[in-house]
Structures are given as C-alpha cells and as structure tokens.
Amino acid sequence: MTDALLPAAPQPLEKEGNGYFRKGCNPLAQTGRSKLQNQRAALNQQILKAVRMRTGAENLLKAATNQKVREQVRLELSFVNSDLQMLKEELEGLNISVGVYQGTEEAFTIPLIPLGLKETKDVDFSISLKDFILEHYSEDSYLYEDEIADLMDLRQACRTPSRDEAGVELLMSYFIQLGFVESRFFPPTRHTGLLFTWYDSLTGVPVSQQNLLLEKASILFNIGALYTQIGTRCNRQTQAGLESAMDAFQRAAGVLNYLKETFTHTPSYDMSPAMLSVLVKMMLAQAQECVFEKISLPGIRNEFFMLVKVAQEAAKVGEVYRQLHTAMSQAPVKENIPYSWASLACVKAHHYSALAHYFTATLLIDHQLKPGADEDHQEKCLSQLYDHMPEGLTPLATLKNDPQRQQLGKSHLRRAITHHEESVREASLCKKLRNIEVLQEVLSAAHQRSRLKYARHQEADDLLNLIDAPDIVSKTEQEVEIILPQFSKVTVTDFFQKLGPLSVFSANKRWTPPRSIRFTEDEDDLGFTLRGNAPVQVHFLDPYSSAALAGAKEGDYIVSIQGVDCKWLTLSEVLKLLKGFGEEEIEMKVVSLLDSSSSMHNKCATYSVGMQKTYSMICLAIEDNDKTDKTKKISKKLSFLSWGTSKNRQKSASTLCLPSVGVSRPQVKKKLPSPFSLLNSDSSLY
C-alpha cells in the first residue's frame, strides 16, 4: 500500500491544468445541500453558545450561597436547557431532511437516510510549520510557503466536497496527505501548537485537540458521510442506479467500520465505537433494502417460485431493520441518535415484514397445485419458507388441500395488516416522518392493498378457524457486506518532499545542523566510500584523508554538494557528481543522526465543551522505542530538538538562530514504521 505513497524521487507538482489542485464545491452556491450545510454550521455556533452559558450557570450555581441568587440561576438554567433542547430538535430536523439528498427523479420509494458532513474551523498551518522547518530541519522556512499554502487550500476544499467520486478522492487525498504531515511535523514528544476543532454531526458540540488524530478521524467520517449522500442521490428506478446505491452504502459502512477499529477512543459522540457500530448497521440495512428494490424493479410476477423469493427477500430487509432499531434503542446511543432515525428504522421493519407476509399469502391463496405441477419443488420451497409448519399441517398436504391453503394464506394477510397498521402508527408518532409525503403514500398504499385482498377472501367464521401464521425465514440472493476503503488507489504526492526522504528526514529523528565539509580529491581518491540510496551516507572514511580532516564522519548523510541538493540522489548520481570536480575543492554539506531521546508520553488534552467526562479525556499517544543496551554508556549532549523547545525560544521564525551542536557517533539505522501513519497502531490511540 505504501509503495504508491513513497515516491522514489521528488516529483514536480502538477499544475492546476493537469488536475492536481482539486477544488471543492462553491460554498456560496445556493444548492439545497449547501443551504442545509450552512444551516448546520449556524446551528453549531448557537449550540456552542448555549453550552457555554449552561456551563457558566452550573458553575455559578455551585459557587453561590445566597438563596435568591441560586433561585435566579436555576431559573436561568432552565431557560438555557430549554433553548438547547430546541436547538437539538432543529439539528435533528436537518439530519432527517432526506428529501434534499434524494435523487431528482420522482419515485414511489421510501427515502434513505444520509449522514451530514462534520463542520470544522479554519486552521493556519503557516506559523507552526515554518517554525518547525527552521528548528528541526535547519532549512529556510520561506522556501516552503507554497507547499504550506497548498496544504491549507486542500483542507479548505475538503470542507465542501462535491457529491461524487471526485469528492471522495479529494477527501482521501487530504487524509493520505495528513499521514505525510504527521510524520514530518508531529513528533511524539512535543506539540506544534496547532488546534483542530470539529463539530459533532449529531449533537453540534465542538471538540478540539492539538494533534492530527482528531483531524484524520473526522475526515474519515466525512468520507463515509459523503458515500451515504452519493447512495441516496442514485436513481433507484434503474438497475444501474440501485447497484450504485448498494455499492455506495457498502463503502460507507466500510469507511465507518475502519474508523471504529482504527480510532478506538474518540472524543466525539458521532465517532464513538457504539455510535459507529449503529451507523454501520444502518448503512448495511439500506444496502439490503436496495437489493430488494433491485429484485422488485422489473415487476413481481404472480408466480409461485417468484413470490417465495420476494417474500424471503422482504423478510430479510425487515429483519435487518428490526436489528437496527434494537441497536438504536440501547444506551448510550439512544440518548444521541435522532429520534426520527430510530422511528424510521421501526417503520421499515414493520413495513417489510408486512410485505413478506403479503407475498406469502398471495402464493398460498392464488396458486393451487395442479396436475402435472412440480410437487417436489413446490413442497421444498414451502418447507424452506418456514422454520416449522403450523401444528397439524405439512407442506405437501397444505399444497393439495385448498381450504388449508386459503386459511393459512388469510392468516398471513392478518399478520400483514397488523404490521402495516403498526408501521403507519409509528410514522404518525414522529413529527418529522409525518412531513415526508412519499413515506406516508407508500405506507398507505401497501396497507390498503393488504386490506382489499383480505376483504375479497374474508368469511364469517374466519375468526374461529384462522390459525397463527408462522414467521417467514429470511433469505437473500445477495448478502451485503462492508467494502473497506481503498486508499492505495489514490496517488498522492508529498507536499514537503523537498525536505528529503521520509525514512530519514522525519519528525521522529534528530540530527545535527548541516556541517560544511571542504576537501579535495587525493590522487583521484575521495578518501571515503559511499553507501545507501537517497540519501547517501559516508562509509569507510580514511582518517587521514582531506574529508576526514575537514570534519567528515562515518555515517554522515550527504545533503548537498556545491549547492546541489543531494537528499534524493542515488549513490551513482552522488558519486558522479563528486568525481566531476576533479582536483577542485569540493564543498559538501552533511548531517549526523543524534541519539534517540528516551521514550516520553505524549499527553494530548482534549477540550470538549459541555460533554461528559467519558468523552472529555486526557489521551496518551505512546511511541515505543527499541530497548537500549544497559551496558552501553551514552554521553548526554544538548540535542537540537531540546534546544528548539526550550522555555526561552523566540516565537518568530525569521529571528531564530541555530545553535552549534556537538556531533555524536552515528548509530545503526533503525527501521522506521511506514509514513502512512493510518496503518500504525498509534493511530488508534487518542
């Protein structure tokens, strides 16, 4: 996977005409989706203000001793809580605004539920990254202004991605780019001073962290949310549209499941493991619903075997929605999931269970076993339709006995009518669902169809003779499953590749400031050999050579020769460059790796306004180092990194001065983890 992410040499960034610099949608475009997202952003700000007021009132209530003051604070607190509840209901209304995200084609189908994108605040990378480039990499930070601007432009574009594959690729590109940025600028032992803030998509509560884990997790959530919006937008009146919708919902489930397993301690309600598990179930349930619609799209023929197949498919959809509603009703998800989502899951569970019983009743009432019919096949299908037949009945006897078929069919119709009535009742209890006209029409039409069919076959003594209709075994010809995100298919160029190969020039490694070595060849002999590729190291140094006397050390990395950057040159290219100067004096700049500092805990305080202690936590990201041989004696020297983080460090990047640091003996090169940090185990720690 990482092969596509690590270029062998720095490649020039493509220009805008070649499609490298992607843009999001115009944030000022007055589309239905943009208006909805703007309303979400405004609501987030109102919720933040209300939460701060509530926190202040609660603190005042704890501190106040005067009874009149306490009564006044309690009254004010009740008003604030009331406002928060109204804002929460308004946000829930946005989350159930399914009509905005559906396809433009008029369809007589139940709407699907999309996820809204998480909102964020602007982040200025320039000051922090410039400081780090100057301190850690000892390079002129102003040479990287364009790269920093590209990173900020990419982040800004990710706030308004287009609702198609290009938008998904845009978000994935930024997510992979964050892996490079984390390896370049976020060491495990210090903070860069950047604060990332994201708003919960379900509660509107902001969460802030000083590392990239929250940023990466939120981008992953938005990738999943964008897939759900793509799925709801598909035209479900065509086979291709239904297949695209199924694929989109399965990919959404894959991204959300990957987020749950990779980032296990999230400080946001919408990205908690329990909530993500429910969202994954919801995406798979909607994909299964699309499977049923794809089978039903050509029309349901009134044939025995076709009705058996459709009945079991409908039972499968009803089963997954019943499981989804049960998961939504469990704590702590129940407190934060939109009530309208749980109601719609319950409505669909009853609706599709009713359809399963209706199709079963149709095959029993309308189809009699005729001479010459395939008795064995029909008997097998009917026996597989139930876990067990009603008492006193057998599949073959029921098929041959017309009164028994009629009675069993009418029993299924009664159960279908019961489920229809329950789905209509559940939809009427939710204000948001009552306003979805197409939902009400679909439920009413299905209910009326079952009632009319029962009325045509109803008899006076039915209540005395009807038997209990058994449950229908669920079965599907296409089992939906999660599709994991395929990041390897997105090719991304590291914006900061000029800093050098990531295997050496990363935030986790420390080295001396560049040293200038001036030497000449002695009888066509450099006085040292070379090893490695990009960057090349000094190897087998003659202690009496001109280079050694000028300060070169074995293990030094060659970063430039006569002003030519060599960090990405291969061994043969560096050797050719050195040999090209003949007897002239050669100026070579080198750096030496320093001893790794002892392992430290990276304490990342998570600021979460008004959230419970469970989600407002101190998160530890521990970088495990290789064990050091206790018998070795390492002389402690002032490290360049520790100087850069000293208490009296100046803030302005333009006025920082680089210290002269002693050079320690080089260590054996350690194998670093992949720069694509989303694959590291540390990415699962908050």
Side-chain angles (χ1 to χ4, degrees):
M1 181 178 290
T2 57
D3 293 341
L5 308 177
L6 283 174
Q11 304 295 329
L13 297 180
E14 300 177 18
K15 299 302 180 183
E16 187 173 356
N18 296 331
Y20 182 83
F21 295 102
R22 306 180 183 90
K23 295 182 179 180
C25 296
N26 181 5
L28 301 179
Q30 294 300 305
T31 63
R33 190 173 68 115
S34 65
K35 290 179 181 179
L36 207 62
Q37 204 65 31
N38 290 336
Q39 293 177 30
R40 183 185 296 274
L43 267 179
N44 288 336
Q45 297 300 321
Q46 295 179 43
I47 290 174
L48 174 60
K49 181 179 179 181
V51 168
R52 287 176 174 172
M53 291 180 63
R54 185 179 67 177
T55 303
E58 289 174 347
N59 292 336
L60 181 58
L61 185 62
K62 293 178 181 178
T65 57
N66 187 286
Q67 190 62 27
K68 290 185 177 180
V69 174
R70 291 176 63 85
E71 290 178 0
Q72 185 66 28
V73 172
R74 287 194 185 96
L75 180 61
E76 191 67 29
L77 195 57
S78 66
F79 284 125
V80 173
N81 286 330
S82 178
D83 289 342
L84 266 177
Q85 184 62 30
M86 293 176 63
L87 291 173
K88 182 179 178 181
E89 292 177 359
E90 192 172 347
L91 184 60
E92 180 185 339
L94 296 184
N95 286 326
I96 198 58
S97 298
V98 293
V100 176
Y101 296 97
Q102 307 302 311
T104 56
E105 301 81 6
E106 293 186 4
F108 194 66
T109 54
I110 300 179
L112 301 173
I113 300 176
L115 297 178
L117 300 179
K118 291 172 69 71
E119 290 288 335
T120 183
K121 290 184 177 180
D122 291 333
V123 176
D124 188 357
F125 288 96
S126 58
I127 297 177
S128 297
L129 297 193
K130 283 182 179 179
D131 281 353
F132 195 85
I133 290 172
L134 183 58
E135 297 172 22
H136 191 74
Y137 294 100
S138 305
E139 294 198 26
D140 188 353
S141 58
Y142 290 99
L143 297 176
Y144 294 87
E145 286 186 343
D146 290 342
E147 287 79 2
I148 295 174
D150 290 341
L151 178 63
M152 294 175 64
D153 289 344
L154 181 59
R155 186 182 191 273
Q156 186 66 25
C158 287
R159 299 179 67 175
T160 55
S162 57
R163 193 165 37 147
D164 50 25
E165 287 298 328
V168 173
E169 185 178 353
L170 175 69
L171 292 176
M172 284 190 174
S173 299
Y174 180 57
F175 179 76
I176 298 173
Q177 193 68 239
L178 288 176
F180 291 123
V181 172
E182 185 175 26
S183 299
R184 296 279 192 191
F185 302 106
F186 287 80
T189 54
R190 60 174 286 190
H191 297 307
T192 58
L194 292 171
L195 187 67
F196 300 95
T197 301
W198 287 85
Y199 292 89
D200 192 301
S201 65
L202 301 179
T203 65
V205 177
V207 178
S208 300
Q209 276 193 347
Q210 287 189 345
N211 63 22
L212 279 177
L213 296 180
L214 176 63
E215 182 88 349
K216 293 166 70 176
S218 299
I219 291 297
L220 273 179
F221 184 92
N222 277 358
I223 293 175
L226 193 58
Y227 269 128
T228 67
Q229 296 181 13
I230 293 174
T232 55
R233 187 187 188 185
C234 294
N235 181 9
R236 290 155 62 195
Q237 300 303 301
T238 64
Q239 290 282 348
L242 284 168
E243 290 176 358
S244 298
M246 288 163 47
D247 180 75
F249 284 118
Q250 290 178 95
R251 291 185 183 278
V255 172
L256 296 175
N257 189 69
Y258 180 84
L259 171 59
K260 181 189 70 172
E261 294 180 351
T262 308
F263 300 88
T264 55
H265 300 290
T266 50
S268 182
Y269 284 129
D270 56 355
M271 295 191 295
S272 64
M275 182 63 74
L276 289 174
S277 296
V278 170
L279 295 181
V280 170
K281 288 179 181 294
M282 185 169 74
M283 297 307 120
L284 293 179
Q286 296 189 138
Q288 194 68 56
E289 185 177 1
C290 292
V291 173
F292 173 80
E293 292 181 353
K294 187 177 75 168
I295 295 173
S296 306
L297 184 62
I300 302 174
R301 300 185 305 276
N302 195 358
E303 298 175 357
F304 185 89
F305 301 114
M306 180 65 182
L307 291 171
V308 170
K309 176 182 177 181
V310 175
Q312 291 189 307
E313 287 285 354
K316 179 65 176 180
V317 180
E319 180 183 51
V320 294
Y321 271 113
R322 186 164 55 252
Q323 294 171 354
L324 173 62
H325 181 257
T326 301
M328 287 180 169
S329 303
Q330 303 296 323
V333 175
K334 182 180 179 181
E335 306 299 326
N336 301 292
I337 201 79
Y339 173 69
S340 52
W341 289 8
S343 297
L344 186 57
C346 184
V347 167
K348 289 188 176 184
H350 286 293
H351 174 70
Y352 284 101
S353 296
L355 292 183
H357 285 285
Y358 173 80
F359 292 128
T360 302
T362 302
L363 71 89
L364 289 170
I365 295 175
D366 294 355
H367 296 275
Q368 298 180 1
L369 189 61
K370 299 178 181 179
D374 191 348
E375 294 183 4
D376 293 339
H377 193 187
Q378 289 195 18
E379 180 186 8
K380 182 180 179 180
C381 287
L382 187 61
S383 62
Q384 292 178 349
L385 195 60
Y386 306 120
D387 278 332
H388 60 276
M389 290 289 293
E391 186 176 355
L393 300 181
T394 61
L396 185 58
T398 303
L399 289 172
K400 292 182 177 180
N401 190 323
D402 186 61
Q404 285 187 3
R405 290 169 62 103
Q406 295 288 328
Q407 291 296 330
L408 184 56
K410 285 187 284 186
S411 297
H412 280 290
L413 280 177
R414 287 182 62 84
R415 285 201 64 179
I417 293 172
T418 301
H419 280 297
H420 280 309
E421 290 174 347
E422 191 62 26
S423 65
V424 172
R425 185 189 68 85
E426 189 69 30
S428 65
L429 293 177
C430 179
K431 179 181 178 182
K432 307 299 181 183
L433 298 185
R434 288 200 302 267
N435 296 331
I436 303 178
E437 294 182 1
V438 65
L439 174 63
Q440 299 296 330
E441 293 174 359
V442 170
L443 297 180
S444 177
H447 185 202
Q448 187 68 16
R449 181 178 59 180
S450 296
R451 291 180 61 185
L452 289 175
K453 191 171 188 65
Y454 181 73
R456 287 198 299 267
H457 298 86
Q458 186 178 13
E459 297 178 1
D461 59 346
D462 278 349
L463 294 178
L464 300 176
N465 298 327
L466 284 180
I467 57 180
D468 292 333
D471 292 331
I472 299 169
V473 175
S474 62
K475 184 179 178 181
T476 179
E477 68 174 18
Q478 185 174 353
E479 193 78 36
V480 297
E481 56 186 10
I482 63 174
I483 300 178
L484 294 177
Q486 298 174 328
F487 297 106
S488 58
K489 290 188 175 181
V490 181
T491 303
V492 177
T493 303
D494 182 7
F495 284 154
F496 300 93
Q497 58 184 346
K498 289 193 303 184
L499 292 172
L502 197 53
S503 59
V504 176
F505 298 97
S506 67
N508 292 331
K509 287 198 172 183
R510 303 178 301 117
W511 50 85
T512 63
R515 308 190 314 277
S516 182
I517 308 297
R518 297 178 180 272
F519 66 98
T520 56
E521 287 191 47
D522 185 12
E523 297 180 357
D524 200 28
D525 182 14
L526 294 172
F528 57 87
T529 60
L530 302 175
R531 70 174 179 181
N533 271 315
V536 175
Q537 285 183 279
V538 175
H539 191 48
F540 291 134
L541 177 67
D542 182 356
Y544 300 103
S545 64
S546 174
L549 296 176
K553 305 288 184 181
E554 288 186 3
D556 283 348
Y557 288 96
I558 301 175
V559 295
S560 70
I561 299 174
Q562 295 290 89
V564 178
D565 194 321
C566 299
K567 291 193 288 289
W568 282 100
L569 298 185
T570 63
L571 187 147
S572 59
E573 291 171 336
V574 171
L575 187 60
K576 181 179 180 181
L577 187 60
L578 288 171
K579 291 293 186 180
F581 295 104
E583 297 181 356
E584 298 180 10
E585 184 181 59
I586 303 173
E587 181 183 5
M588 180 175 69
K589 288 188 177 182
V590 298
V591 295
S592 301
L593 281 178
L594 297 176
D595 295 334
S596 299
S597 59
S598 59
S599 177
M600 296 179 63
H601 292 280
N602 179 20
K603 296 184 178 180
C604 177
T606 302
Y607 172 67
S608 177
V609 181
M611 300 182 72
Q612 299 176 4
K613 293 181 180 179
T614 306
Y615 293 93
S616 180
M617 61 187 73
I618 300 297
C619 308
L620 301 178
I622 304 173
E623 178 74 22
D624 293 330
N625 292 336
D626 294 336
K627 294 183 178 180
T628 306
D629 190 351
K630 295 182 179 180
T631 60
K632 288 186 179 181
K633 294 183 179 180
I634 301 177
S635 58
K636 296 183 178 180
K637 299 184 180 183
L638 177 63
S639 71
F640 181 66
L641 181 59
S642 61
W643 173 86
T645 57
S646 62
K647 183 177 181 181
N648 297 323
R649 180 174 67 86
Q650 302 181 30
K651 300 295 182 182
S652 174
S654 61
T655 58
L656 284 173
C657 302
L658 299 178
S660 59
V661 182
V663 182
S664 63
R665 295 292 296 172
Q667 288 185 321
V668 178
K669 183 177 179 182
K670 296 180 181 179
K671 185 178 180 181
L672 286 180
S674 166
F676 190 32
S677 56
L678 62 90
L679 299 177
N680 293 351
S681 60
D682 291 344
S683 297
S684 63
L685 297 175
Y686 265 87

